Structures are given as C-alpha cells and as structure tokens.
Amino acid sequence: MDLSRRGFFKILGAAGVGMTAAATPANAWQSRAPEDAYGCLVDLTRCIGCRKCEQACQTVNGLPEPEQPFDDLTVLDRKRRPDDKSFTVVNRYYSGKIDERDQLVPTYVKIQCMHCQDPACASACIVGALTKKDNGAVQYDASKCIGCRYCMVACPFEIPAYEYHNPITPRVMKCTFCYERVAEEGKLPGCAQICPVEAITFGKRADLLKLGRQRIRNNPGRYIDHIYGENEVGGTSWMYIADRPFEDLGFIQVPEKPLPQLAETIQHSLFSYLWSPIVLFGMLGGIMWGFRDKSDRHDKHEGGNP
C-alpha cells in the first residue's frame, strides 16, 4: 500500500491547513489590491473577431509578425492561447445561437493576462520580478527574473509564457497592460484604443463594474447576470460580460478567493515561529512512518507470513 506522490501532497496540504487554523488573528492575510486601479470591460456581444486588438498589441509591444496575417481570419478555426510572441489572441466559439437565416452565431473571446487584483504570479515570484502596480497592471521586471517559472505554475489562467528559444536572456512574456502607455503617456491600452466596435472599455475598475451591471440590468435578455472577473480569484483588472455562460466560452472556472491568501497564510503560519517547521516535518515524518509500517504489514500478509 504505497503512498503516492499525489497522496503525499494531500497530506502536506492538510498539515498546512491545520497549522493555518492555529494562526492568531493578528497574522491574518491582507489583500494588497490597489483601491483605485484601472481595468478593461470586454463586451463579448459586441466583439466581431476582427483581430485588430491582436495587431495593436503586436505593434505597441514590438512583437514579431504572426505566421498568419492579422486579416487572415482562418486562424479562428483553431483555439489558441497567448504565448511569448502573442500577448493576446481572439478565439471563436459556437454556443448554439441561431440567427434569422438559421446560421450559427459565433461569439469571439479575447484572451490576455487578467492582471489579478491579488496576483498569484507575483506572490509566487521569489525575487519580486512581478509586482502589482497602483494603476492595476501586473508588471514584469526582466532584470530581476531568475527563470524559475514559478509564476507559470501559479497562474490560474495559464497565461505567462517563457522564451524557451532564447537560451541567453530568456524572459517570461505576457500582456503588459500597456503600462508605459497608460501610466506615463496617459493613453489607452493599444487594444482598447483600436477596437472598431468599442467592445473594450478602459477606465477605473469600480466604474467599469457599474457600467457592466447597468448594461446587464438594462438588457436582461441580452446578457447573463455575471461579470467575469468581478469576484474570480478576488477580482481581476480585465472583466467580461456575455450572452452565454462563460464556461461555454472557454473561460477557466476559478475560485473567488485570491489564490495567494491560502499560500501566504500557510507560509506565515509555518515560519512565524522557529519551531513551526520542526513540528510540521515531525508530523509529516510520523504520517509517512505510519504508512510505511502499514505497507510492511500488508506485504507480509500478502506473502503468507504470520
């Protein structure tokens, strides 16, 4: 009866939760989300899949030309994810809606870094290469990065990409929220500025939430009653409204609690006192010994020994 790797980490998590429960209220986790952050509200009922946002992103960030030109919409025939050469992509989904000509009506979904209010990537970064800025952007500092890629593992939206083809100075690549354009030049993000149908609205996050709720309230037959990003993982700077359930449109279902909350609380609880690691690993050692002893007895029984 061997203890699997998955089982061991379940035990580790349970032990961590136990230690967290013993933490004092003074050590409670606190959100570091900026109160007056900017954000973008994407109205998926307006998006026409023109890929202008992809083109603007490539221009603003100086990214390589894509393999297929931006006016080649056959690229929408396959699902894509942002990578080290494309910070944002548009995908097409058919969710069963029919128009007056009995044709399937597509929904187009723009994907990029969500710029979480309490980003798991920044929490996981051990050198501070990723930080949440007051304007809402999660900014990356390549000069600090050591290439551990913990951010890639931590991100619930599977966004950060790595320059594997660059062996000398590889970077973690993702949407920058056009940080310099917004913070230093006072301009809109490239994708929001170029959108021909105003599917992307840029502004203060609190105002965007009000706008999203107003659209839903004024057009209950057009929108589902959900702003994706309002509460997901504690809230994100990019938010969406749609006429279909988000799980039908490729959106990853995530918890509402900020992911750093559990991880940082456990870490603080473990190392707030010098004896905490000793107690934890003593507990784990006892559990592992118990499983091993139980396994030995099981093996003896299977071998016919008394």
Side-chain angles (χ1 to χ4, degrees), residues 78 82 107 116 148 166 187 230:
R78 57 184 176 86
T107 298
C116 304
C148 67
N166 184 356
K187 297 180 180 179
E230 178 179 10

Side-chain angles (χ1 to χ4, degrees), residues 61-64 82-87 140-143 145-149 151-152 159-174 176:
N61 291 286
L63 298 174
D83 56 29
D84 60 317
K85 298 180 183 65
S86 303
F87 291 171
Y140 170 70
D141 186 344
S143 67
C145 182
I146 60 174
C148 67
R149 287 161 281 173
C151 56
M152 296 172 64
I159 290 297
Y162 195 65
E163 288 183 317
Y164 288 102
H165 66 281
N166 184 356
I168 307 301
T169 56
R171 297 168 294 173
V172 171
M173 305 292 279
K174 70 173 194 67
T176 64

Side-chain angles (χ1 to χ4, degrees), residues 237-254:
S237 294
W238 279 82
M239 297 165 288
Y240 297 78
I241 53 177
D243 60 352
R244 289 289 180 271
F246 288 102
E247 56 266 28
D248 296 342
L249 300 173
F251 283 79
I252 297 175
Q253 301 304 297
V254 294

Side-chain angles (χ1 to χ4, degrees), residues 224-297:
I224 63 169
D225 189 12
H226 182 190
I227 302 176
Y228 188 94
E230 178 179 10
N231 299 310
E232 279 77 7
V233 292
T236 59
S237 294
W238 279 82
M239 297 165 288
Y240 297 78
I241 53 177
D243 60 352
R244 289 289 180 271
F246 288 102
E247 56 266 28
D248 296 342
L249 300 173
F251 283 79
I252 297 175
Q253 301 304 297
V254 294
E256 290 191 356
K257 285 187 177 181
L259 296 188
Q261 181 173 357
L262 176 59
E264 292 182 15
T265 303
I266 290 175
Q267 182 184 25
H268 184 87
S269 300
L270 289 177
F271 296 101
S272 58
Y273 304 100
L274 291 176
W275 49 263
S276 294
I278 299 174
V279 172
L280 172 65
F281 288 106
M283 291 169 54
L284 292 174
I287 294 170
M288 293 294 290
W289 181 87
F291 270 95
R292 180 177 179 181
D293 182 64
K294 189 173 182 180
S295 178
D296 289 343
R297 285 188 274 111

